[in-house]
Amino acid sequence: EYPGFPIGYPSTKDPDPLAVQIGSNLPLMFLGPNAPMSMNISNPDIFKGWPIGINDPATNDARGKELDYIRTVARQSKTYADNLVTAYIAGTNSANYPADNYLAEELKAVARLIKGGLKTRMYLVQISGFDTHADQVVTGSPTTGAHSNLLKLLSDAVIAFQRDLEGLKIDQRVLTMTFSEFGRRIMSNGSIGTDHGVAAPMFVIGTNVQGGIIGKNPDIPADIKVDDNVAMQFDFRSVYSSILKDWFCVSDTSSRKILFNNFQSLPIVKRNCSTIGIEEYQTIEDSVQLNISPNPMTSQCNIQIKVPKGFAQLNLIDPLGRFVKRIFQGKLEEGDHQFKLENDNYPPGNYYVHLQLINIQKTEPLIIVL
């Protein structure tokens, strides 16, 4: 959408940063073909100390000379920075944000920039500390501790941000989404923590979100080991694909080029291009059946599915969340179908069979024993 960036930018058509990140590092998320396509702000305090609108003259001495030089350098900053500060000054906030909450301070700045007229379409803020290999909870009290405190910090910041958007009358224009580079495993590692996992929840928040849960509560095997993972139910790129299509109105053709494949459309956004409601989606999902027998299996098992007509994939996932076997891929007619899975010397453990059909995905646990 922005060919040749950064050559020719900012422009009359695109005067503001294409994306803004508030945080300490430059994210891979905004890397473009030639250069990073975002502007990085170390923290929101930069706006409070920006020397704009200072009319008092510098003193006529060495200190005044240095102060005047600093003001000149600041005023000569690039157009993007000036536009950011101009929007921040023009903007306001309408909600009370929690104190001692750095994520809330970042979101507060984002709300003010949007209200101030900045045309930037994507903002990234960050909350760290979820890599809880140890001391994730308090011994004997699993609902308290580091993880609980982090979720409270996230929740308090997000609800204040959403209420601010509503009070500023800009909530119809903003969609908030969480994502992470990793999930957590099921079982404690012995240090009252959990190691990196392959599956994690994603939250999407906003006035134009279809409220509800997509997916089912995970099945936790009776006999779990420290390496066992919760099974992934939806490819995270299906979430990205849905946001691209239904929020940014990206065409299916462009989405396939961006994501290098065709991913399902999930009922997340209730405006723009979305054509299916979450209740209708859940009804269709419930009509799809996936049964495995015998389970546990030793040498082989039968997999029975009942599906509507469409293109389907049936995969075996190991305890670490890796795809280990493509059981079937192709078009299926509506109705019942049966497949046989042989034990190709798989190590014993808690596996999953994952069915992907058009916009529906379904996962069932499979125990493999010797």
Side-chain angles (χ1 to χ4, degrees), residues 63-74:
R63 289 176 299 178
K65 180 181 178 181
E66 296 302 325
L67 176 60
D68 189 59
Y69 173 77
I70 292 171
R71 289 177 176 176
T72 300
V73 171

Side-chain angles (χ1 to χ4, degrees), residues 193-330:
T194 52
D195 296 325
H196 290 190
V198 300
M202 297 175 72
F203 299 96
V204 185
I205 306 105
T207 303
N208 282 303
V209 168
Q210 298 198 54
I213 298 173
I214 302 175
K216 306 294 184 183
N217 283 338
D219 291 300
I220 306 299
D223 180 24
I224 57 173
K225 300 177 177 60
V226 71
D227 287 338
D228 282 341
N229 279 269
V230 174
M232 176 270 291
Q233 294 185 39
F234 295 94
D235 192 309
F236 69 94
R237 289 167 294 185
S238 295
V239 179
Y240 291 174
S241 175
S242 304
I243 299 298
L244 285 172
K245 175 185 173 184
D246 294 332
W247 186 255
F248 291 106
C249 287
V250 174
S251 69
D252 289 339
T253 302
S254 295
S255 181
R256 282 194 294 270
K257 289 180 180 178
I258 294 167
L259 298 173
F260 305 109
N261 209 330
N262 188 22
F263 292 94
Q264 291 92 343
S265 223
L266 303 174
I268 297 173
V269 180
K270 63 183 180 183
R271 54 158 261 186
N272 290 349
C273 319
S274 187
T275 57
I276 184 172
I278 192 168
E279 295 84 3
E280 182 183 355
Y281 179 88
Q282 290 170 341
T283 299
I284 298 172
E285 185 181 39
D286 290 340
S287 71
V288 175
Q289 297 180 17
L290 171 60
N291 299 296
I292 306 169
S293 178
N295 190 5
M297 90 165 192
T298 52
S299 59
Q300 66 178 35
C301 70
N302 294 315
I303 301 172
Q304 295 178 317
I305 63 174
K306 183 176 183 179
V307 296
K309 181 179 180 179
F311 186 86
Q313 289 184 13
L314 195 62
N315 302 301
L316 180 67
I317 303 173
D318 74 2
L320 294 177
R322 300 173 298 192
F323 285 83
V324 295
K325 184 178 178 64
R326 176 68 48 78
I327 302 169
F328 173 80
Q329 177 176 289

Side-chain angles (χ1 to χ4, degrees), residues 87-236:
Y88 186 84
I89 293 173
T92 56
N93 294 105
S94 67
N96 293 321
Y97 284 79
D100 300 321
N101 186 320
Y102 68 92
L103 180 64
E105 285 298 310
E106 294 174 350
L107 289 172
K108 182 179 180 180
V110 171
R112 184 164 174 170
L113 288 170
I114 297 172
K115 181 62 177 177
L118 200 71
K119 296 180 175 63
T120 297
R121 297 173 68 189
M122 296 188 72
Y123 297 83
L124 178 66
V125 296
Q126 182 173 296
I127 173 174
S128 60
F130 281 92
D131 198 5
T132 48
H133 290 278
D135 300 323
Q136 182 171 315
V137 298
V138 173
T139 304
S141 181
T143 60
T144 61
H147 188 68
S148 174
N149 293 338
L150 284 166
L151 289 177
K152 184 179 188 303
L153 187 148
L154 172 66
S155 177
D156 289 349
V158 168
I159 190 63
F161 178 62
Q162 184 61 31
R163 294 292 176 261
D164 197 8
L165 298 176
E166 293 167 1
L168 295 171
K169 308 297 183 185
I170 56 175
D171 55 299
Q172 295 283 345
R173 298 169 48 207
V174 182
L175 189 77
T176 306
M177 184 178 80
T178 70
F179 69 97
S180 175
E181 63 191 276
F182 49 68
R184 311 310 296 178
R185 297 185 189 176
I186 301 172
M187 186 177 179
S188 172
N189 57 17
S191 300
I192 324 176
T194 52
D195 296 325
H196 290 190
V198 300
M202 297 175 72
F203 299 96
V204 185
I205 306 105
T207 303
N208 282 303
V209 168
Q210 298 198 54
I213 298 173
I214 302 175
K216 306 294 184 183
N217 283 338
D219 291 300
I220 306 299
D223 180 24
I224 57 173
K225 300 177 177 60
V226 71
D227 287 338
D228 282 341
N229 279 269
V230 174
M232 176 270 291
Q233 294 185 39
F234 295 94
D235 192 309
F236 69 94

Side-chain angles (χ1 to χ4, degrees), residues 324-342:
V324 295
K325 184 178 178 64
R326 176 68 48 78
I327 302 169
F328 173 80
Q329 177 176 289
K331 289 185 178 180
L332 292 175
E333 295 298 322
E334 181 179 1
D336 298 315
H337 303 270
Q338 183 167 302
F339 304 92
K340 183 176 290 186
L341 174 65
E342 302 283 349

Side-chain angles (χ1 to χ4, degrees), residues 49-62:
W50 197 269
I52 280 189
I54 299 175
N55 297 314
D56 58 306
T59 55
N60 189 23
D61 54 18

Side-chain angles (χ1 to χ4, degrees), residues 19-44:
V20 168
Q21 187 219 357
I22 302 177
S24 58
N25 66 315
L26 195 63
L28 295 175
M29 173 179 171
F30 293 136
L31 281 182
N34 304 314
M37 301 182 78
S38 66
M39 184 170 182
N40 180 273
I41 301 168
S42 58
N43 63 72

